[in-house]
């Protein structure tokens, strides 16, 4: 079963914020379904930033942003707090949610993750490649500075030597998500399932160009904004509107 470091990850993510919700991670994460206005064949699973709970996810407007473009999609808000990452329960818990969605007849399952949640979506695709039909990364956390510096010093993803595939776990989760990103980049024009969006003043904006080669150029959406839902939601609205046009 895929695992994550209980301590290395917490230290790495400490830079994201000084406080975060505490939940009982012995139970599945709390969830809230926001149904579409038409019969749904698509489920969009939203993973939170480190300081989010269900209330802040809903208040952030991501459900409306999806429904405005895709009225026939259901949106599932998942309170996947940092405790699930610390206790190595995030990946199996998310896989249970995705598998359940497939069992309920959803033809397409998309993952949307902001900051911590963006990293979670990338981790999921590392552990279960191509299981998600679409991945929307909103200013994702991409690892510690030392790991990013190694990729920069190699001239970017193209020049960086990826490790052999392995289950994400203590001491290797960062290089494994970048190995997966390099696999995305090996496809012509990047992985067509993946979208990347971030604001020009987002604190993680300087790291986003490292990931850009893994994403189709037209799937990189930028605009004014910071590291908050007030910026991520308008960017996500552009993503889903563009994805709808592409599907048409």
């Amino acid at each position: 079963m895929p695992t994550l470091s209980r301590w290395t990850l917490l230290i790495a993510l400490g830079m994201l914020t000084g406080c975060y919700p505490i939940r009982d991670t012995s139970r599945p994460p709390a969830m809230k379904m926001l149904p579409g206005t038409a019969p749904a064949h698509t489920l969009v699973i939203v993973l939170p930033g480190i300081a989010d709970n269900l209330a802040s996810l809903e208040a952030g407007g991501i459900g409306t942003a999806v429904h405005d473009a895709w009225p026939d999609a259901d949106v599932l808000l998942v309170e996947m707090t940092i405790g699930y990452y610390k206790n190595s329960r995030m990946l199996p818990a998310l896989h249970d949610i995705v598998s359940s969605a497939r069992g309920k007849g959803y033809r397409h399952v998309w993952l949307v993750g902001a900051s911590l949640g963006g990293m979670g979506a990338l981790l999921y695709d590392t552990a279960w490649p191509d299981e998600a039909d679409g991945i929307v990364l909103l200013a994702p956390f991409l690892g510690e500075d030392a790991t990013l510096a190694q990729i920069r010093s190699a001239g970017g993803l193209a020049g960086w030597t990826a490790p052999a595939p392995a289950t994400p776990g203590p001491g290797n989760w960062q290089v494994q998500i970048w190995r997966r990103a390099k696999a995305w980049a090996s496809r012509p024009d990047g992985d067509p399932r993946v979208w990347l969006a971030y604001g020009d003043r987002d604190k993680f904006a300087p790291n986003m160009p490292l990931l850009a080669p893994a994403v189709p150029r037209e799937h990189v959406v930028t605009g004014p904004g910071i590291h908050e839902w007030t910026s991520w939601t308008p960017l996500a609205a552009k993503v889903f509107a563009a994805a709808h046009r592409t599907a048409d």
Side-chain angles (χ1 to χ4, degrees):
M1 182 65 67
T3 60
L4 296 173
S5 167
R6 295 187 178 189
W7 300 111
T8 304
L9 182 58
L10 176 60
I11 294 169
L13 292 174
M15 64 182 289
L16 294 179
T17 188
C19 59
Y20 45 84
I22 303 298
R23 296 291 182 266
D24 178 4
T25 59
S26 67
R27 300 179 179 182
M31 295 180 281
K32 182 169 184 177
M33 180 70 80
L34 305 178
T37 57
H41 301 294
T42 298
L43 180 66
V44 178
I45 299 170
V46 181
L47 302 177
I50 196 170
D52 283 318
N53 55 23
L54 284 183
S56 64
L57 274 181
E58 186 169 14
I62 184 64
T64 300
V66 175
H67 286 149
D68 283 347
W70 295 3
D72 57 347
D74 290 340
V75 178
L76 182 65
L77 308 179
V78 181
E79 197 175 68
M80 193 74 77
T81 60
I82 191 174
Y84 291 92
Y85 293 80
K86 288 172 56 183
N87 293 336
S88 304
R89 294 180 59 85
M90 188 281 291
L91 285 173
L94 181 54
H95 192 53
D96 286 346
I97 294 168
V98 173
S99 298
S100 176
R102 299 291 189 194
K104 291 176 181 176
Y106 287 104
R107 298 176 189 170
H108 307 288
V109 177
W110 281 57
L111 300 178
V112 177
S115 190
L116 169 69
M119 185 201 71
L122 210 170
L123 276 166
Y124 184 80
D125 201 61
T126 302
W128 285 278
D130 300 313
E131 178 66 28
D133 299 292
I135 301 173
V136 180
L137 305 175
L138 304 173
F141 178 68
L142 297 174
E144 297 171 286
D145 290 343
T147 301
L148 303 180
Q150 291 175 6
I151 299 170
R152 287 192 178 95
S153 66
L157 269 179
W160 179 67
T161 301
T167 298
N172 79 342
W173 65 270
Q174 296 183 68
V175 294
Q176 284 301 315
I177 64 173
W178 280 104
R179 176 194 59 77
R180 184 60 181 153
K182 188 175 177 74
W184 291 351
S186 70
R187 306 183 187 188
D189 303 319
D191 192 316
R193 300 173 304 130
V194 183
W195 296 73
L196 174 65
Y198 59 95
D200 57 357
R201 292 177 290 120
D202 192 292
K203 62 184 176 181
F204 292 158
N207 299 331
M208 298 302 104
L210 287 176
L211 187 61
V215 183
R217 183 175 301 179
E218 64 274 18
H219 287 193
V220 178
V221 178
T222 60
I226 58 175
H227 201 71
E228 299 286 350
W229 281 108
T230 53
S231 301
W232 296 331
T233 296
L235 292 168
K238 293 180 180 180
V239 166
F240 282 98
H244 179 73
R245 291 193 297 270
T246 301
D248 290 343

